[in-house]
Amino acid sequence: MQLTRRRSAAMTLALSSSLQRSVPVGSYHIAAAFNHLSGRIGVRHNHHRLKSSSRDDPSLTSEATCYNHLKQSRPIRIKAKALHPSEAAATKAALANDDKSTSTITKLVHFQRHGQGTHNQLYQQWTDRTGIPIDLSETNPELNPLLLPDIIDAPLTDKGRNQCKEQRIDKSKYFAGVELIVVSKRDGDEEGVRWIAHEGIREELGLLLCNQRRPLKETRLEFPHVDFSLLAQHDESDEDVYWKQHFERTSIHNADGTPQRESMEDMSHRAYDFLVEYLYRRPEKEIAVVGHSAWLLAMTNAVLEFDEGSEDEEEFGTMFGQAELRSATLTFTEIN
């Protein structure tokens, strides 16, 4: 992929995620999952809809829960304000002249959810056929296809890649100042833009195998220029250690030995630690973070603080659509 230095951040941002692999890389695995279930749900294919909607992913709607007690209990508070395109130039200029001697630090962060993955497509097709969304807490693979081993670390569909390409075209000038891109399973250096893979922004741990990482040696081969040094080290069997630790810690609480799904509150602790222990301490002023739906939802609802009752709070309080981008200034203030 040939990119100019100044456009590379924006263009690669819109294409990046832990699911950046296109379907052909793992198509035989996904085909196995579809074949396993096709007799039960009569899978139908739809390659025409490009925009994300609740029909594509019924989990786009969620129940509102108040997490103010969590936010107020933390030693560093993170005030967020949505950034709109008309404000971008002035905001970037203000950040460039920010007085570092003050007790607060402000950064401009662009958050993006990955494009449609094969697990999203399977969810959609199951729901279209049965009329009932998959119960993601169901532990029977016959009733919850996201437990099938074939769906591990699901790649992007053609639709997912098209969604990212659309964002690349629409937002290329808007993100020209991005200095750092943080993703959950990729890291690299492309055309002068630094990439970092960070364990703290990966998707919900526990039950759903689409969120489990492939053996790291496979990913290293696919992305030979990637540095995975910030990810939890795999053991000699090349298992996903972070996933394995959560499995062992939570499965003892269930009689059938199945792990517990990571809660919104637990994900918010991970999100907070990532923002405070990592992003807050980075020298860059403008950063892009490519993450996942549940993790982003936990962060925007249980970590970031918006003006109460504001349009910003309402906008950021909903789940991100596929490949959706939202930008905000984050102001970090230490509470004495």
Side-chain angles (χ1 to χ4, degrees):
M1 179 165 38
Q2 299 298 318
L3 302 173
T4 64
R5 180 182 181 86
R6 294 310 305 160
R7 293 185 65 199
S8 61
M11 296 177 73
T12 48
L13 164 64
L15 281 171
S16 63
S17 79
S18 62
L19 306 176
Q20 184 172 343
R21 294 177 296 137
S22 59
V23 172
V25 174
S27 59
Y28 64 100
H29 293 301
I30 304 306
F34 277 103
N35 290 337
H36 179 83
L37 294 162
S38 59
R40 295 172 174 79
I41 65 173
V43 169
R44 298 177 296 186
H45 298 274
N46 187 335
H47 300 289
H48 303 293
R49 292 198 304 271
L50 293 180
K51 292 185 177 180
S52 181
S53 69
S54 58
R55 181 174 175 81
D56 294 324
D57 186 349
S59 65
L60 287 172
T61 58
S62 60
E63 295 183 2
T65 302
C66 182
Y67 293 99
N68 285 339
H69 66 289
L70 275 180
K71 300 173 186 179
Q72 295 169 3
S73 68
R74 290 165 172 155
I76 295 179
R77 307 281 284 274
I78 308 173
K79 180 74 172 181
K81 184 181 184 301
L83 177 75
H84 301 286
S86 61
E87 304 168 346
T91 299
K92 291 170 186 272
L95 285 175
N97 298 317
D98 190 26
D99 183 1
K100 296 182 180 179
S101 64
T102 63
S103 59
T104 63
I105 293 177
T106 300
K107 295 179 183 290
L108 172 57
V109 185
H110 307 285
F111 295 102
Q112 182 186 26
R113 180 188 173 188
H114 62 75
Q116 186 197 58
T118 49
H119 62 304
N120 301 125
Q121 184 182 52
L122 183 58
Y123 189 117
Q124 171 197 327
Q125 292 173 337
W126 175 288
T127 303
D128 286 350
R129 175 58 179 169
T130 65
I132 303 173
I134 299 171
D135 179 358
L136 298 181
S137 295
E138 172 60 59
T139 60
N140 181 356
E142 298 293 328
L143 300 175
N144 184 358
L146 300 189
L147 301 181
L148 295 172
D150 309 282
I151 207 74
I152 288 177
D153 207 356
L156 291 184
T157 63
D158 289 341
K159 174 179 176 177
R161 295 188 72 80
N162 285 335
Q163 290 170 327
C164 294
K165 289 176 182 177
E166 288 180 350
Q167 291 284 24
R168 179 205 313 173
I169 295 170
D170 292 343
K171 307 292 185 181
S172 59
K173 294 182 180 179
Y174 187 43
F175 297 107
V178 170
E179 304 168 86
L180 173 72
I181 301 174
V182 187
V183 294
S184 62
K185 302 177 189 176
R186 284 200 58 188
D187 164 292
D189 185 0
E190 186 170 350
E191 298 292 334
V193 178
R194 182 160 174 75
W195 291 67
I196 298 290
H198 199 287
E199 198 82 81
I201 64 174
R202 64 183 297 170
E203 184 58 304
E204 171 192 306
L205 299 170
L207 187 64
L208 306 177
L209 293 184
C210 55
N211 299 335
Q212 184 177 357
R213 186 184 299 140
R214 291 181 293 160
L216 192 55
K217 62 184 178 184
E218 295 181 15
T219 310
R220 290 183 189 278
L221 288 174
E222 191 172 342
F223 303 107
H225 303 296
V226 170
D227 176 8
F228 296 97
S229 60
L230 292 183
L231 300 187
Q233 296 300 309
H234 288 216
D235 58 20
E236 293 181 358
S237 65
D238 205 27
E239 289 186 73
D240 183 347
V241 171
Y242 207 68
W243 182 274
K244 182 180 179 181
Q245 290 172 345
H246 179 87
F247 183 101
E248 293 175 346
R249 186 170 61 251
T250 64
S251 60
I252 59 174
H253 302 295
N254 295 326
D256 60 359
T258 58
Q260 295 177 354
R261 292 180 62 189
E262 189 177 22
S263 68
M264 282 280 287
E265 184 169 328
D266 286 342
M267 275 188 286
S268 81
H269 293 322
R270 281 203 290 119
Y272 176 80
D273 288 344
F274 163 73
L275 292 173
V276 168
E277 298 298 330
Y278 186 73
L279 226 62
Y280 173 59
R281 303 178 189 281
R282 294 292 308 183
E284 296 85 0
K285 289 288 188 178
E286 186 171 354
I287 299 171
V289 175
V290 185
H292 305 265
S293 57
W295 183 89
L296 287 164
L297 188 66
M299 178 198 67
T300 56
N301 281 270
V303 179
L304 303 185
E305 298 185 47
F306 297 91
D307 287 339
E308 189 172 353
S310 66
E311 292 183 2
D312 290 356
E313 184 180 49
E314 182 177 353
E315 175 190 352
F316 271 80
T318 60
M319 187 169 283
F320 280 56
Q322 293 162 4
E324 182 181 0
L325 286 156
R326 300 179 192 172
S327 301
T329 56
L330 305 186
T331 300
F332 298 80
T333 303
E334 295 189 31
I335 305 301
N336 295 327

